[in-house]
Amino acid sequence: MILDANQLASIRQHNDEQLRRGNRAQHGYPAQTVQDLLHTIEALRKEKKKWKKLAQDRGKALKTISDIASG
């Protein structure tokens, strides 16, 4: 399942409420587990941006090298 930014924000808000309730929280996944998953999603998002930028920089470098080699 793919979640969009609004769904993630909603899950984060609901989970924060569960964490504030402490022992009186509802049944379901433990709030700490959900919080860990949300942190993992954010880390993956940052990693994806880093690799995307790296690929763009690599493409620019290869184009420059190609221009130098042909010209």
Side-chain angles (χ1 to χ4, degrees), residues 10-69:
S10 175
I11 291 170
R12 186 174 293 111
Q13 181 182 6
H14 178 72
N15 194 61
D16 288 346
E17 291 170 7
Q18 294 299 317
L19 286 171
R20 279 192 289 277
R21 288 183 185 167
N23 292 335
R24 298 176 290 125
Q26 296 180 15
H27 297 290
Y29 288 107
Q32 289 299 127
T33 302
V34 174
Q35 187 177 36
D36 290 344
L37 289 171
L38 290 170
H39 287 301
T40 302
I41 289 169
E42 284 302 315
L44 288 172
R45 202 178 265 167
K46 288 178 184 177
E47 193 72 15
K48 180 181 174 185
K49 285 181 184 178
K50 180 181 87 173
W51 284 105
K52 183 177 179 181
K53 181 170 179 359
L54 182 69
Q56 289 172 344
D57 292 345
R58 181 178 178 264
K60 288 176 186 175
L62 288 174
K63 178 157 179 27
T64 302
I65 291 169
S66 176
D67 290 346
I68 291 171

